[in-house]
Structures are given as C-alpha cells and as structure tokens.
Amino acid sequence: MKILVINCGSSSLKYQLIDMDDESVIAKGLCERIGIDGSVLTQTVPGKDKYVIEQPMPSHNEAIKLVMDALEDPEHGVIRSTDEISAIGHRVVHGGTSFSESCVVDENVKQVIRDHFDLAPLHNPANLMGIEACEAGMPGKKNVAVWDTGFGMAIPEKAYMYAIPYEYYEKYGIRRYGFHGTSHMFVSGEAIKFAGLDPKAAKVIVCHLGNGGSVSASIGGKCVDTSMGLTPLEGLIMGTRSGDIDASVVQFICNKEGKSVDDVLTILNKKSGILGLSGGVSSDFRDVEAAAAEGNHKAEVALEAFAYRVAKYIGAYTAAMNGVDAIAFTAGVGENDKKTRKNICSYLGYLGVEIDDEANDVRGKNAVISTADSKVKVLLLPTNEELAIARETKRLTE
Ligand code: AMP
C-alpha cells in the first residue's frame, strides 16, 4: 500500500510517497515558489539523481499535476500510474475544537478548515488548496486530514482556558489549542514503545525543539498540556518567536515606536526568539552557538534563556502530571544539539535526571541519553510527521 503525504504552505508543497509495507520513503519532493515567478519542483528518490523541474506553477493545482508527472516519470519516477497510490494524507494546521482525531475529508471537513482560516491564516487556506488540488488531480481517491491541533484537543479546560472574559471564548473560540500535534503524538507514542513504558499510564514530556518549538505532557498517550496557545507564538523561546511574554509589551512597543498591533505581532513572530535575543546573530542555533563560542554575550544569553525556558516547562509539566517517566527530545535542535540537551537537563537534578555524556553524543537516531541510574529516562527520538500522517491515512482508509 502506497500513501502520498502532502504538506502545503502558501507558496510551497512538500510531498512524500511512503510504502506502508515497510514504511520506507519511495520518493520525496518539494514544490517551491508556487504562484510566483521561478516555480521549481525538486524530487529525491533513493538511488537516483535529483530530479528538478522548473516550470510555472500558478497555483497548487499545477503543482499537484507536476508532482504526479514527477512520480510517474519513466526515468526519474517511482510508479507507473497514480492508480498505485491508495490514499493521500494531508497535514492540516487548524481544526479548531471540531476535530481531535484525523478524518477522511468530506464537505463538512473542508468547511471546518475554511471556518478556521482566521485562526491559521497562513496555513489553513494553503492546506485546503492542497486537498482540492488532489481532489481535482486524482479524483476518487480518499484524502485524509491530520490536524496539527488534534493531539492538543485532549487537554482539559483548566489547561486550555485563558483567564480573560469568558465571552471571548464563547464568541470567538479564544483558548489554547496547541500545535506540532502530529509530532507530539508520534514521539510520545515512540517514547512509550522505545522505553518500554506502560502504554496506559506512562507520563511523557516531549520537547519538540526546532525552528518552532513546543513542549507537551501526556499520560498514556493522551495530551494533558502543551505549550503553544491560540497561535504558535506562546510557550518556548523559538528561532524567531518570542514565546511567552507579558501582553503589555505589545502596547508598550506600539506607543513608543508608533507601530500597529499587527506590526508588533510580526516582530514577535519573525524577529524575536533566538534571533532577537542574540542581537540579530541568527535564528539558527548553529550560528548562535558559534557566536557564543567566540564570546558574544547576547548569543550566550540567548542560548541560556532558551534552555532555561524549556527546563521551566518540563518542571511545570512534571507538576501537572505529578511525575514524569520519560522526557524525549526531538526536531532539529532536539535531535542534533547535545549541548542544548545537556544544558536543559542540568536543571533537572531534582527529578533524579542524570545524562550519560557518551550516550548523549548522538544525532538523529533513537537513543536513551540518560544513565542507567537516572530516575527519569531521557530519550532522543527523531520525529517523523510524514510517517505519522501516512499511518493515520492508512488506518482510516484501509
Ligand atoms: P526544524 O525546524 O526541526 O527543521 O529545526 C531546524 C533548526 O534545527 C535549525 O534552525 C537549527 O537551529 C537547528 N539545528 C539543526 N542542526 C543542528 C545542529 N547540528 N546543532 C544545533 N542546532 C541544529
């Protein structure tokens, strides 16, 4: 059974064709600059040369057609016809409170995606375009929506309500939703399997630390809290996002600099975080670490503040669950940066966490990085959102 996984941005489309018999990636690719000049598709197939098609893609419809052509290409492709594709799984960012579970797309599902355009203005319209392009290009095939907010939908009221007048929740659905749900669902499940924990009761904290970052707490695979909120801005310090701040900062900057609320929100989303705190060095940890190693004080503080914030969330979530069995690191920083993992864990001695430096000297593969005596298992578990989406798609369409 072959599943096509699609992840659409406003001007991009990522795809993977996955063979579910052994969960291997048969082909993957990226369409960039959709709707703008210089559109290009790049496809990678194990054992074959990279395939690049430079052709106009005015919309996601043309992009999907090009993906189908690339997959079917006699020389560079991997299938004879798209008939070999059993179903298509889509990453959809916001399902609001309507969906906690992945589902087969129908008119109602598409309406829910539309209803949440205002909560995810960059992503939901693109996600819907991807679904409609697949419906047009491969009619009759089942499309499955896997929600980024799905995993976080399980969190209880006390965790998702903001302490603002209740009417805003009732009128506009202003509450915490949580994002990166597919990654948190995948990694928390892997943590239970990999560490041999009780699937019904295991208390797991997942630290998804990439350019965007979030922490989740789950008991028996069910999310009880997660750090992102109404939007992905809340929570950790990220590559370019501030994470938690006093909302008065917005008003203060508006008044001092004559900026609009929208301007300041753009600053908080795109120019803050590690980038802002390091005085503009970079949003990439590798650059900020290099600057810190050369004695750049702002870069040093940025890295310290990042680790400190993650450690505070781990402490808060341990309290929320009254304990923790495993802490898992994932995503770009979590999977590659042993120093940051070690820095974060240096705050967790009170939990009996002990890192094994040799075991922590690892990148991008499943590993236990704590000592045998550590009271809490600390894990490195690479995330795989595409595989998680493919598994959900298989489960719902088989
Ligand atoms: P992601 O969003 O999961 O793709 O993560 C991307 C981020 O991971 C980059 O912006 C880097 O900050 C970080 N990253 C990737 N490789 C390394 C590395 N070897 N050391 C430190 N950070 C890394």
Side-chain angles (χ1 to χ4, degrees):
M1 179 183 206
K2 295 185 182 84
I3 302 275
L4 181 62
V5 176
I6 301 282
N7 181 357
C8 277
S10 50
S11 66
S12 69
L13 186 158
K14 280 192 233 163
Y15 64 96
Q16 280 194 13
L17 187 65
I18 300 181
D19 185 344
M20 295 311 287
D21 294 342
D22 59 0
E23 297 193 331
S24 62
V25 177
I26 308 170
K28 63 176 166 184
L30 169 66
C31 301
E32 293 169 280
R33 301 181 63 85
I34 299 170
I36 32 182
D37 286 349
S39 310
V40 56
L41 177 151
T42 313
Q43 175 168 282
T44 329
V45 173
K48 290 192 184 185
D49 289 341
K50 204 170 254 185
Y51 183 36
V52 180
I53 312 176
E54 288 176 26
Q55 201 169 298
M57 294 178 232
S59 76
H60 288 72
N61 282 334
E62 289 78 15
I64 281 291
K65 287 210 184 82
L66 228 49
V67 169
M68 292 163 60
D69 289 348
L71 290 171
E72 291 173 340
D73 186 84
E75 194 184 336
H76 302 278
V78 287
I79 49 176
R80 245 168 302 167
S81 123
T82 50
D83 289 348
E84 290 178 42
I85 298 172
S86 302
I88 308 158
H90 297 261
R91 174 183 183 230
V92 184
V93 165
H94 221 304
T97 53
S98 308
F99 291 108
S100 56
E101 297 283 332
S102 313
C103 51
V104 176
V105 173
D106 59 15
E107 284 312 312
N108 173 42
V109 171
K110 287 201 274 181
Q111 190 54 44
V112 168
I113 300 173
R114 255 179 237 117
D115 290 343
H116 295 95
F117 275 6
D118 55 350
L119 280 175
L122 294 179
H123 292 97
N124 268 30
N127 300 153
L128 185 60
M129 279 193 274
I131 289 171
E132 289 182 334
C134 286
E135 287 175 337
M138 290 174 269
K141 273 196 208 309
K142 281 191 177 146
N143 289 278
V144 168
V146 181
W147 313 94
D148 224 34
T149 48
F151 188 63
M153 270 304 102
I155 68 177
E157 232 171 333
K158 64 183 175 189
Y160 70 66
M161 287 303 291
Y162 288 116
I164 59 174
Y166 205 87
E167 64 186 277
Y168 298 123
Y169 169 65
E170 291 176 314
K171 278 202 274 190
Y172 309 119
I174 297 180
R175 51 161 280 175
R176 305 183 60 259
Y177 289 94
F179 297 86
H180 292 147
T182 313
S183 176
H184 286 289
M185 173 181 73
F186 180 82
V187 176
S188 57
E190 292 295 298
I192 291 172
K193 277 190 258 165
F194 190 68
L197 305 173
D198 178 353
K200 292 212 168 68
K203 296 173 178 175
V204 177
I205 293 176
V206 173
C207 304
H208 176 112
L209 312 178
N211 189 36
S214 58
V215 185
S216 70
S218 60
I219 303 179
K222 194 168 163 232
C223 189
V224 294
D225 210 340
T226 187
S227 62
M228 283 175 164
L230 175 74
T231 74
L233 184 57
E234 190 178 342
L236 301 182
I237 295 172
M238 307 180 211
T240 62
R241 295 189 191 115
S242 64
D244 300 333
I245 56 160
D246 180 344
S248 308
V249 168
V250 176
Q251 182 199 35
F252 207 83
I253 298 178
C254 285
N255 291 344
K256 290 283 180 194
E257 301 252 320
K259 291 189 189 301
S260 68
V261 170
D262 282 5
D263 291 341
V264 178
L265 262 291
T266 302
I267 292 168
L268 295 179
N269 271 298
K270 302 219 155 109
K271 300 204 166 143
S272 300
I274 294 291
L275 173 68
L277 204 44
S278 65
V281 170
S282 175
S283 61
D284 192 303
F285 271 66
R286 288 161 287 197
D287 302 334
V288 181
E289 279 167 2
E294 283 168 13
N296 181 322
H297 175 69
K298 290 175 190 162
E300 278 169 8
V301 173
L303 297 170
E304 281 171 16
F306 174 84
Y308 178 64
R309 179 82 56 91
V310 178
K312 285 209 296 186
Y313 265 96
I314 293 172
Y317 287 173
T318 303
M321 296 193 288
N322 193 15
V324 57
D325 298 311
I327 298 167
F329 288 100
T330 197
V333 179
E335 290 170 28
N336 292 299
D337 189 348
K338 62 179 176 186
K339 210 165 160 220
T340 297
R341 291 194 297 262
K342 172 98 177 170
N343 288 346
I344 293 166
C345 292
S346 70
Y347 290 95
L348 308 177
Y350 72 100
L351 289 175
V353 167
E354 271 180 46
I355 295 299
D356 178 332
D357 288 334
E358 218 171 288
N360 187 34
D361 191 8
V362 62
R363 285 174 64 174
K365 62 172 191 177
N366 287 5
V368 178
I369 60 167
S370 48
T371 64
D373 293 337
S374 179
K375 291 213 176 70
V376 179
K377 280 210 169 94
V378 185
L379 312 167
L380 189 169
L381 298 171
T383 191
N384 193 337
E385 289 164 272
E386 289 77 14
L387 179 56
I389 292 170
R391 283 180 184 168
E392 287 290 89
T393 305
K394 180 179 177 209
R395 182 175 68 80
L396 287 164
T397 58
E398 220 167 15

